[in-house]
Amino acid sequence: MARHNREARGEDQHGHEYVIEYQPDWLHQVKVTRDLDSGRQSTKTLFRNLEPADQEPGSRVRTRITAPALGIDVQVTLNDEDSVVRRVSVEVTIPTGAEQGEIVGFVLSRKRQRPGSSSRG
C-alpha cells in the first residue's frame, strides 16, 4: 500500500512560492520552466524528493501543484497499473495578476527503480 502524500515548497525563477503535494514513493522531482525578462527560457528544479522509496507506489498517482500568488492550482492524477510512466509534462497559463497569460511548464519525474527491484506486470 502506498504511503500518504507529503507536502513540500519550492520557488521559481521569479521568486514565486509553490506548494507541491506528492506521493513520496513515486515523485523524484518537479522542474519548472518560465520565460525570463530577457526573453530567454529557464528551467529550474522546483523540488527534489530526497526521501527513499520504501514501497512500490500504488497504481494511482496524484500530484498537486499550487502557487496562490499566481492563481495556479493544478492536480495531475494518473493510473499506472504497470508502473511504466516515467515523466509527465504539464503547461498552464497564469490566470490572473501582473503575469496573466504567461505560460508555466512543469515536468514531474518518477523515482528510478532500485537495482534488483522488479516492476509489476
Side-chain angles (χ1 to χ4, degrees):
M1 176 182 242
R3 294 185 289 166
H4 294 289
N5 274 16
R6 304 286 193 265
E7 185 177 288
R9 297 180 184 278
E11 191 174 281
D12 72 7
Q13 297 87 328
H14 296 280
H16 296 293
E17 185 179 65
Y18 294 76
V19 177
I20 302 100
E21 296 175 26
Y22 66 98
Q23 290 179 260
D25 296 316
W26 190 89
L27 187 71
H28 170 61
Q29 67 183 9
V30 176
K31 290 190 174 191
V32 60
T33 301
R34 297 285 314 262
D35 288 334
L36 301 176
D37 295 336
S38 66
R40 297 189 60 144
Q41 196 175 64
S42 171
T43 300
K44 178 181 180 183
T45 300
L46 188 61
F47 164 72
R48 181 170 287 132
N49 178 10
L50 300 176
E51 190 174 339
D54 289 341
Q55 304 172 22
E56 288 296 318
S59 61
R60 179 173 289 198
V61 177
R62 183 174 44 88
T63 304
R64 181 178 182 195
I65 301 171
T66 59
L70 298 175
I72 293 174
D73 186 348
V74 297
Q75 181 170 289
V76 175
T77 303
L78 56 105
N79 292 316
D80 187 19
E81 294 282 335
D82 296 325
S83 298
V84 296
V85 175
R86 292 287 168 246
R87 186 175 297 142
V88 176
S89 177
V90 178
E91 286 188 351
V92 300
T93 304
I94 298 174
T96 60
E99 297 173 81
Q100 181 177 5
E102 290 187 30
I103 296 172
V104 179
F106 301 103
V107 175
L108 290 66
S109 300
R110 180 191 173 127
K111 283 186 171 279
R112 294 185 180 187
Q113 287 184 306
R114 294 177 294 211
S117 69
S118 61
S119 64
R120 287 178 262 166

